[in-house]
Amino acid sequence: TMGPTTWIPRTHNVESHRLFYEVDKDPTAATDDDSAVSTKDKLLQSKKAVLGTLPKGACVIFDPRVLHCAGANNCKDPDATRAMFYFSFKNPRVDNPGCPSCSGYGLVNADIPMEALCEELQARVTGQGISPRLDMISASP
């Protein structure tokens, strides 16, 4: 189970992603210095992280290109764990300049208009309908 999300502000750019994913690293280059710090570690050490602890019922909206990760869930009570509903939107006019999408599970190109999504969610919540698209999304790993 995931704990709170940690974000690294101002990393939604190509430079930060190149450093984090070590794009320019030469895999054949040998180093004699075992204490050499990777570009990823240098980036993480040079930025201030923000922990997203939120009150019950809150939501967060952020640019998914910002480097982020889930923290540890230290909750000992299984009845106090959270349920999460996650979805993302991508503006088709905005290119992905070297920052990988986090809209995984084969849904990157899903074409679900907001109005249809809202209708299908409302029908699901009230038990008044089925939704093959929501079934597909919830069945994704």
Side-chain angles (χ1 to χ4, degrees), residues 62-85:
F62 70 98
D63 183 337
R65 295 174 298 171
V66 171
L67 293 175
H68 63 283
C69 66
N73 183 353
N74 298 322
C75 183
K76 304 292 186 222
D77 181 359
D79 294 329
T81 59
R82 67 181 173 142
M84 184 171 92
F85 178 67

Side-chain angles (χ1 to χ4, degrees), residues 66-130:
V66 171
L67 293 175
H68 63 283
C69 66
N73 183 353
N74 298 322
C75 183
K76 304 292 186 222
D77 181 359
D79 294 329
T81 59
R82 67 181 173 142
M84 184 171 92
F85 178 67
Y86 164 82
F87 61 98
S88 64
F89 297 94
K90 181 181 184 301
N91 184 336
R93 296 179 301 226
V94 176
D95 193 15
N96 182 6
C99 303
S101 170
C102 63
S103 303
Y105 311 127
L107 302 173
V108 173
N109 297 318
D111 185 13
I112 305 173
M114 178 59 88
E115 185 176 343
L117 178 62
C118 291
E119 289 172 1
E120 291 179 21
L121 286 170
Q122 185 63 35
R124 176 65 61 92
V125 167
T126 60
Q128 298 175 359
I130 61 169

Side-chain angles (χ1 to χ4, degrees), residues 8-28:
I8 304 175
R10 293 175 289 286
T11 58
H12 61 291
N13 55 66
V14 174
E15 179 185 356
S16 294
H17 282 251
R18 289 184 73 82
L19 292 170
F20 185 80
Y21 292 105
E22 299 182 322
V23 171
D24 299 319
K25 181 179 180 179
D26 180 358
T28 63

